Amino acid sequence: MKTGFWQVTFAVLRKDMLAEMRSRELLSVMGLFALLSVIIFSFALELDREARETAISGVIWVTVAFASIIGLNRSMNSEREQGNFDALLLAPVDRSALFLGKFLGNFLVVLLVGLVLLPLGTLLYNITLIQPWVLLILVLGIFGLSSIGTLLAAMTAQTRARDALLSIAMLPIVLPVLLAAVRATTSIISNEPIENWITWPQILLVVDLIYLVLCFFTFGFVIEE
Amino acid sequence: MAQAKAKDIAQEPTATPSLLRILTLVTVLGVVVALVFALVIAGTDIEQGEVQRIFYVHMPAFFGAFVAFGATVLGGVMYLWKRDPKWDRLAVAGVEVGFALALINLITGSIWARPIWNTWWTWDPRLTSEAIMVLTYAAYMMLRAGIDNVDTRRRFASVYGILAFATVLLVLFIIRVRDDTIHPTVVGNSPQNAQGSFAATSGVVGALMVGLLVWGLIVPVTLMWYRIRLENMLDWVNRKKMEVLSA
């Protein structure tokens, strides 16, 4: 008998979260990287307030993107090295459910890093980042990053160059997501009227959905063996 | 798995088929005719002068890249569905030919921009997105090179080739979304701040049509055909090598 789709999804998610809670392997590395990145940017760009307003969203998103690449690499590599992935593939379950479980796990971890970045950025750059709209953009942007990232990490984990290849393969493809997210964040923190930037969250949502559907259906091809 | 192996047999290389020979001749002649149209028949642009003629190669080359990358998507989808390596050969051919045409597009654009925009390169949304597109397909080639197992390589390349097309669409649509581009729009109205426009007379339209036919269709199809044959030959040689080694 086949285990139900959502049952599998949540089993994988629960396993990832439990492992993460006990080892804190991903969060410690990603968190430290994010902290360092924001600090380095903040003294590399000792800028006046206006310039900071335009720079901060770029800083936040570059940091989130690279942190997610680090996290995705580690999460997939440990899955491979410890043989867990082979066991998952042996199980008589839906491959797309595996994708959804891994995706949700990665999404939550990266989102947590993103949520830590907002108060940190607010502190270091003296610009209020903790706003409902910024939070929404953060969720949407990380959603897109994680779906493409989960698919590509599953792919590159099986290649020779691994870590290096994931960043090369992932960054150009997530560019539409990053572009929309950066533009929206910049507009929001400079208090522009909503009709000026509302198209960006809309574009982000559409791109997210397209990517999710594409990844959902192609994941099965990536991990078959 | 056994079925996939059986299908893996590449065809023994054949002599160049006569249709391909004819097509090659047509391509060479077509490039010459397109150049005559672009350099002689089309009138000189009043505002931009002779340099505007580069447009008759510039825009059709992007169209050709679009066709080639489209073939990659088709090849990718069909490979994942049928698992016949011939579709993967189409996908590789599409990427490499499209990559070359996109480079032609970038280089001609750069040469045009030097006198018109007074710079070789600017971080304009369309230029940036096109550069990203070229890098994505460079990543495709690196991904292929990074995988040893043939079946895995084909599968991954198919998936990535489908995803990569998102960047091609980004190049096409970015002008509609970001109004701060200075790149002129060819189809539809140019944004207010576009520098250098394309007003059409009959000679211009003729040169553009011939250019589109040659650079946008005949050149990519011919090159891709050669590339597919080359990839087939590679697969065949590799299989022979394996046979000899295992004997």
Side-chain angles (χ1 to χ4, degrees):
Chain A
M1 205 193 86
K2 248 189 166 183
T3 323
F5 184 89
W6 292 108
Q7 235 175 316
V8 176
T9 306
F10 286 113
V12 173
L13 177 63
R14 188 169 159 274
K15 178 225 32 136
D16 276 359
M17 290 297 103
L18 209 59
E20 186 50 39
M21 241 151 57
R22 290 185 183 155
S23 67
R24 295 206 186 76
E25 196 184 356
L26 297 180
L27 277 178
S28 56
V29 178
M30 289 164 76
L32 198 59
F33 170 81
L35 181 69
L36 285 171
S37 161
V38 170
I39 289 175
I40 288 172
F41 271 118
S42 106
F43 65 66
L45 314 163
E46 279 181 73
L47 306 159
D48 54 292
R49 185 178 170 86
E50 213 170 294
R52 255 182 300 164
E53 253 178 23
T54 45
I56 176 100
S57 59
V59 171
I60 295 284
W61 281 103
V62 166
T63 306
V64 167
F66 281 105
S68 74
I69 288 177
I70 293 177
L72 289 161
N73 264 326
R74 293 212 71 156
S75 123
M76 266 303 166
N77 284 351
S78 63
E79 197 90 66
R80 286 254 151 206
E81 277 158 19
Q82 290 158 21
N84 185 40
F85 212 70
D86 298 325
L88 280 179
L89 291 184
L90 280 175
V93 294
D94 210 324
R95 292 318 171 50
S96 337
L98 292 183
F99 168 75
L100 219 55
K102 287 300 291 178
F103 157 67
L104 286 175
N106 291 331
F107 171 66
L108 288 178
V109 173
V110 181
L111 188 63
L112 207 61
V113 175
L115 288 178
V116 175
L117 270 179
L118 291 190
L120 194 67
T122 309
L123 264 173
L124 287 172
Y125 292 76
N126 196 18
I127 288 166
T128 317
L129 288 171
I130 306 164
Q131 299 179 24
W133 275 105
V134 175
L135 277 175
L136 180 76
I137 301 293
L138 194 73
V139 170
L140 286 177
I142 291 176
F143 192 92
L145 283 180
S146 321
S147 62
I148 290 283
T150 305
L151 176 81
L152 291 180
M155 232 191 241
T156 52
Q158 301 174 51
T159 63
R160 261 180 282 131
R162 280 188 187 183
D163 307 25
L165 204 54
L166 180 63
S167 33
I168 290 174
M170 182 172 153
L171 284 175
I173 295 199
V174 295
L175 196 88
V177 174
L178 286 179
L179 178 86
V182 169
R183 295 291 293 191
T185 315
T186 311
S187 303
I188 293 167
I189 57 180
S190 46
N191 291 319
E192 279 179 36
I194 190 163
E195 60 269 19
N196 280 8
W197 49 264
I198 193 68
T199 41
W200 292 111
Q202 288 165 348
I203 291 171
L204 202 51
L205 190 68
V206 172
V207 173
D208 276 0
L209 289 179
I210 294 173
Y211 277 177
L212 185 68
V213 170
L214 271 177
C215 295
F216 188 81
F217 286 110
T218 48
F219 189 72
F221 297 116
V222 168
I223 56 169
E224 68 186 37
E225 239 156 303
Chain B
M1 218 44 206
Q3 198 195 2
K5 277 261 160 58
K7 273 186 182 171
D8 198 34
I9 296 168
Q11 285 164 356
E12 192 166 341
T14 49
T16 316
S18 44
L19 186 59
L20 183 54
R21 284 175 194 277
I22 297 168
L23 201 58
T24 311
L25 200 67
V26 170
T27 310
V28 174
L29 286 177
V31 169
V32 173
V33 170
L35 279 178
V36 169
F37 263 89
L39 298 180
V40 182
I41 296 179
T44 309
D45 192 271
I46 296 172
E47 279 178 35
Q48 301 175 24
E50 301 289 352
V51 73
Q52 185 268 342
R53 294 178 189 279
I54 209 163
F55 169 72
Y56 304 121
V57 175
H58 174 72
M59 192 269 218
F62 180 81
F63 192 79
F66 181 81
V67 168
F69 293 144
T72 300
V73 174
L74 176 73
V77 172
M78 290 306 286
Y79 178 76
L80 291 178
W81 184 23
K82 301 278 187 195
R83 295 305 159 98
D84 187 337
K86 77 175 180 197
W87 290 111
D88 181 60
R89 285 174 207 136
L90 174 68
V92 199
V95 167
E96 292 190 4
V97 172
F99 187 79
L101 285 167
L103 279 184
I104 291 178
N105 178 253
L106 275 183
I107 292 167
T108 51
S110 191
I111 294 170
W112 176 82
R114 183 71 188 88
I116 302 296
W117 292 344
N118 201 25
T119 174
W120 295 106
W121 183 264
T122 162
W123 291 107
D124 178 80
R126 178 160 260 191
L127 274 61
T128 310
S129 60
E130 166 118 1
I132 296 285
M133 177 190 91
V134 170
L135 289 177
T136 312
Y137 285 96
Y140 174 100
M141 290 187 254
M142 292 194 72
L143 183 73
R144 273 194 93 93
I147 307 165
D148 295 322
N149 184 305
V150 212
D151 290 322
T152 319
R153 184 196 305 149
R154 288 184 182 134
R155 261 190 297 126
F156 287 9
S158 301
V159 171
Y160 198 77
I162 296 169
L163 288 180
F165 201 68
T167 60
V168 181
L169 297 178
L170 181 72
V171 177
L172 281 177
F173 291 118
I174 201 153
I175 283 190
R176 323 276 162 196
V177 184
R178 290 213 31 182
D179 46 13
D180 55 344
T181 181
I182 58 171
H183 191 289
T185 313
V186 178
V187 183
N189 292 327
S190 284
Q192 289 286 310
N193 39 352
Q195 304 286 312
S197 61
F198 301 112
T201 63
S202 60
V204 171
V205 172
L208 189 58
M209 285 303 147
V210 175
L212 274 176
L213 183 68
V214 172
W215 288 101
L217 203 63
I218 300 175
V219 168
V221 167
T222 312
L223 288 178
M224 276 161 65
W225 193 341
Y226 274 112
R227 185 65 183 83
I228 291 168
R229 287 175 52 81
L230 182 64
E231 189 70 16
N232 177 59
M233 228 178 273
L234 264 174
D235 285 348
W236 191 77
V237 168
N238 278 334
R239 188 171 64 89
K240 284 286 159 195
K241 215 193 280 177
M242 294 305 286
E243 276 176 15
V244 171
L245 283 175
S246 60

